[in-house]
Amino acid sequence: MKNNRRIGAILLSTFTSLFVVSCQTNDPEEIELSNNIQNFEAYHYRYMHYPNGVLPGGSSEIINIQYDNQNRPVKRVGGLLPLPGSTGFNYTFSNNYSEEIAYGNNEISLTVKVSLPNYSDLLKTIFKTENGKIVKKINIDPYVNDTIEYYYSNDKIIKSVRKKQLPVSDTKYYYNSIGNIDSIVSRPLRYDAVSQTWQVDLSNKIKTVQTFKDYDNSLNPTKKLMMFEEIFYRSLSENNYRSYESKSYDVNGNVYDLSTRNWTFNYINNQIKFAD
């Protein structure tokens, strides 16, 4: 069970085993999530938002996605497992790691499975859907479920509110004129005793700003995979960004955390070879 707890460091949330929703459904809302986008079946983990400190080499490091006969993603095979600190690396890639998706009535569940000794199946996330869109993400925690609520305009996420017992952050999503995510800005929420509502304090300089740049003109093949945490940002746009930056600001407006990523893609017929 010690290894189970350490998986949470990879997934940025803690899991617990609750229940599994039946995969068999004809719910039109869930089917709509699969639309007509061509299935995105394989990619190298380095092209998505996985953590750093991965032991190089080893297995192929290619992650495969399986679909059902309604073209809905039902399984992702391959992922990162934690390593002891003595190795000098945080994670190693393993094909023994997988995530299975089950569809129910206006609900999707994602369960982590590791086919190694001392690991148990763990429910990671439950998604609530309305009109074919994910409107709530519940990261399962043995103590307090962390939730994110999503708000849309013209089929694009424009706002999310993160809660853990109480609202803790408000996030705005900004797009350019052709529908690509330009930036995501997250600010803490404070409780206003007069209005009895949670509000963003714009006088507070604490915030995190993520920017997405250097888009290509190739169609984005990941748009129906937002339920996978490491693919979420890529799923938001029409095309594919090749540069990412995240800045976190303290109460004085000074940057205290900065991270950047840049990708070089190979293309065939203007489509990225994500599995290279």
Side-chain angles (χ1 to χ4, degrees):
M1 296 303 295
K2 180 178 180 181
N3 285 337
N4 283 342
R5 292 194 296 269
R6 296 186 61 204
I7 288 183
I10 307 171
L11 303 170
L12 306 180
S13 62
T14 308
F15 315 134
T16 189
S17 181
L18 295 179
F19 60 88
V20 177
V21 183
S22 169
C23 269
Q24 302 302 318
T25 179
N26 292 316
D27 186 347
E29 290 193 2
E30 305 305 344
I31 295 172
E32 187 178 335
L33 285 171
S34 299
N35 53 50
N36 295 319
I37 300 172
Q38 184 177 358
N39 289 346
F40 181 65
E41 296 182 340
Y43 64 94
H44 194 289
Y45 80 87
R46 67 173 178 266
Y47 291 136
M48 305 301 167
H49 285 261
Y50 286 81
N52 295 318
V54 181
L55 178 69
S59 54
S60 67
E61 299 178 343
I62 298 297
I63 293 166
N64 294 280
I65 301 174
Q66 301 173 12
Y67 296 79
D68 64 10
N69 57 11
Q70 298 176 40
N71 288 324
R72 302 176 303 184
V74 292
K75 188 172 185 179
R76 180 168 69 159
V77 180
L80 303 185
L81 292 176
L83 286 175
S86 59
T87 64
F89 296 92
N90 297 323
Y91 314 105
T92 184
F93 183 88
S94 175
N95 286 313
N96 292 308
Y97 177 97
S98 65
E99 295 174 355
E100 294 189 1
I101 297 174
Y103 296 87
N105 185 22
N106 297 329
E107 188 169 282
I108 304 171
S109 66
L110 190 154
T111 300
V112 172
K113 297 190 175 186
V114 180
S115 54
L116 291 172
N118 302 319
Y119 285 93
S120 302
D121 296 350
L122 295 169
L123 182 64
K124 174 187 178 183
T125 314
I126 295 174
F127 301 93
K128 302 293 185 178
T129 65
E130 293 179 5
N131 301 318
K133 298 180 180 65
I134 292 174
V135 296
K136 181 182 288 187
K137 175 182 180 181
I138 306 170
N139 295 313
I140 304 303
D141 186 288
Y143 304 105
V144 180
N145 288 342
D146 182 27
T147 68
I148 303 174
E149 295 178 352
Y150 297 101
Y151 300 86
Y152 292 78
S153 177
N154 298 323
D155 295 327
K156 294 278 190 187
I157 295 175
I158 59 169
K159 175 182 175 179
S160 63
V161 177
R162 190 176 198 114
K163 301 178 180 179
K164 197 162 188 177
Q165 287 189 311
L166 297 172
V168 293
S169 67
D170 176 277
T171 298
K172 298 292 195 305
Y173 299 71
Y174 300 95
Y175 299 83
N176 63 21
S177 60
I178 58 174
N180 290 325
I181 191 72
D182 177 75
S183 60
I184 299 175
V185 181
S186 300
R187 301 176 186 270
L189 288 167
R190 65 173 179 83
Y191 186 74
D192 187 297
V194 176
S195 64
Q196 297 184 344
T197 59
W198 288 87
Q199 300 178 359
V200 175
D201 182 2
L202 295 178
S203 66
N204 191 331
K205 296 181 180 180
I206 297 174
K207 63 181 178 179
T208 297
V209 179
Q210 300 174 85
T211 55
F212 306 80
K213 303 176 182 178
D214 192 21
Y215 279 91
D216 62 16
N217 60 2
S218 176
L219 291 178
N220 176 10
T222 71
K223 292 178 68 175
K224 62 180 176 180
L225 300 175
M226 68 174 291
M227 69 281 291
F228 294 123
E229 184 173 342
E230 298 84 0
I231 303 179
F232 175 77
Y233 292 136
R234 286 212 173 277
S235 73
L236 298 174
S237 296
E238 301 301 316
N239 305 114
N240 308 281
Y241 57 85
R242 292 172 287 198
S243 179
Y244 166 83
E245 179 183 84
S246 176
K247 287 183 178 180
S248 294
Y249 297 82
D250 63 19
V251 67
N252 297 313
N254 299 318
V255 176
Y256 70 88
D257 186 64
L258 169 65
S259 63
T260 61
R261 291 191 179 191
N262 294 283
W263 294 269
T264 299
F265 296 132
N266 294 319
Y267 295 81
I268 291 183
N269 297 325
N270 202 37
Q271 291 298 309
I272 298 174
K273 298 170 64 178
F274 275 105
D276 275 5

